[in-house]
Amino acid sequence: MTAAYVSPASRVKAQGDFRTLRRLPVTSYPTLLLHSAYGVDQMGGAVSTAASLAAALDQRLTTTIQATTRDLTSQGEPS
């Protein structure tokens, strides 16, 4: 385990991970992120309840499904 801390490759990997995290919409820790075709969306944090997370997920899924259907319809695909 100690070797992972002193390994140059591990250090480079960790630095890359931190750069990636800085680009995400994270405003608190822990954070639940939803990755979709439209990007990354923060859904919850440390004080989120199961009910609020379920409601947020339902809302994102409904929005994503509506947008996908709209995109397919505009491309001539049957809905």
Side-chain angles (χ1 to χ4, degrees):
M1 184 60 121
T2 305
Y5 288 110
V6 296
S7 165
S10 293
R11 186 175 304 269
V12 169
K13 171 83 169 90
Q15 289 170 341
D17 290 346
F18 277 105
R19 278 192 295 277
T20 298
L21 288 172
R22 278 188 228 124
R23 289 190 293 264
L24 297 174
V26 174
T27 59
S28 64
Y29 179 83
T31 296
L32 178 62
L33 299 174
L34 175 68
H35 296 265
S36 72
Y38 301 100
V40 178
D41 192 16
Q42 182 175 347
M43 292 188 48
V47 295
S48 298
T49 64
S52 69
L53 290 174
L57 182 57
D58 287 344
Q59 178 188 9
R60 269 44 165 227
L61 289 174
T62 300
T63 303
T64 301
I65 290 169
Q66 289 172 350
T68 301
T69 302
R70 190 172 41 250
D71 291 346
L72 290 174
T73 304
S74 69
Q75 296 172 9
E77 297 286 332
S79 54

